[in-house]
Amino acid sequence: MKAIALTHYLPSDHPHCFIETELPDPTPGPRDLLIRVKATSINPVDTKVRAPKAKVEATPRVLGWDAVGEVVAVGSEVTLFKAGDRVWYAGDISRPGSNSALQLVDERIAALAPKTLSDLEAAALPLTAITAWETLFERIGLNRESTGRLLIIGGAGGVGSIAIQLARQLTRMEVIATASRPETRDWCLAMGAHQVVSHHKLQEELAGLGISQLDAIFCTNATEQHWNAMASLIRPFGHICTIAESSEPWDLGLLKAK
């Protein structure tokens, strides 16, 4: 099968940062789906995994996590899918990725792709949607009856855009997003945010809206930059959840403060 892979972790402007290669067709394990990839997208995970370093792969490494495709074969213990099913998934960082003609994915981390979305649209969603869902409903613990004020920092990004929509559709929270440019402010409002404030003047603009405390905060970027403001704004026993990007000891990925 054809694949786009790497052996050396070169800068992105290097002509050989990726290579086109031929690899053996993979054989499904007991719980695996063999998927013919129809569309894949680039996620920040791709850039972080591929960041330049001295490491050299003995065999070509295939990246790519967000994807949609058709099941062409199944493992001996698969019960959830059959050949011909159209599925989407975020893949597994420990296995070859979706930048290939064929890919193996454990059936337990795949789902039927929405019929209302094209392949290109569906491939852009898995990791952003999973991150937004886990943050709101598993980490922060929101539900359909949740009320109060939710702040989403970075509302115009991929995860933030999904989080705004999920919070509006599946909770009763007042959703406040941050964005700094006219076009990103308009995007957040189009996604369903009740209010949009600038992350450069976070406390000042919230105060202008008569808001001094928040019940929950989801920070999708620049955790260190916003940490002091978040700590000042969160109500006692409120929740802060962040996709942490820090070298500090409290950087544990998804950080939950309670």
Side-chain angles (χ1 to χ4, degrees), residues 151-168:
L151 174 67
I152 299 172
I153 297 176
V159 174
S161 296
I162 298 295
I164 291 171
Q165 296 173 75
L166 290 175
R168 278 303 309 268

Side-chain angles (χ1 to χ4, degrees), residues 109-194:
I109 58 170
L112 292 173
K115 295 179 180 179
T116 55
L117 298 180
S118 69
D119 289 341
L120 292 178
E121 290 169 332
L125 285 175
L127 274 174
T128 52
I130 288 170
T131 303
W133 180 279
E134 179 182 350
T135 299
L136 296 178
F137 303 112
E138 297 181 14
R139 302 287 179 152
I140 296 178
L142 301 182
N143 56 51
R144 289 185 180 273
E145 302 306 315
S146 295
T147 59
R149 291 189 172 110
L150 166 68
L151 174 67
I152 299 172
I153 297 176
V159 174
S161 296
I162 298 295
I164 291 171
Q165 296 173 75
L166 290 175
R168 278 303 309 268
Q169 293 295 320
L170 299 176
T171 78
R172 298 165 59 193
M173 302 288 286
E174 178 183 352
V175 181
I176 305 159
T178 74
S180 58
R181 292 176 286 125
E183 59 268 33
T184 54
R185 293 176 68 92
D186 290 344
W187 174 256
C188 290
L189 291 170
M191 292 301 97
H194 293 94

